[in-house]
Amino acid sequence: MREPTADEMMQWDSLSGTAADRKAIAIVAGVPEQVVGKMTARDFNRAARFIGSFLA
């Protein structure tokens, strides 16, 4: 995981909630969305908060 770029942020800008988090994690981590969908809730939320920390 790393800080997202502006171009990457545009890819999930029109989404909201869990759909936006799922897309953002997949893009930043470089894995398919299906892989993100198999993450545990704890890991998913941790990754979403990590990315969110750059967006505030």
Side-chain angles (χ1 to χ4, degrees):
M1 297 290 290
R2 58 172 173 70
E3 183 173 0
T5 66
D7 285 341
E8 289 171 337
M9 290 170 45
M10 297 275 300
Q11 294 181 54
W12 68 79
D13 189 51
S14 64
L15 302 173
S16 63
T18 303
D21 291 338
R22 180 177 166 146
K23 182 79 161 183
I25 294 166
I27 291 169
V28 172
V31 299
E33 282 190 62
Q34 295 82 357
V35 171
V36 176
K38 295 181 186 306
M39 292 174 70
T40 64
R42 183 180 305 181
D43 289 340
F44 179 86
N45 287 328
R46 186 178 302 139
R49 283 192 304 272
F50 175 79
I51 293 171
S53 71
F54 297 107
L55 308 179

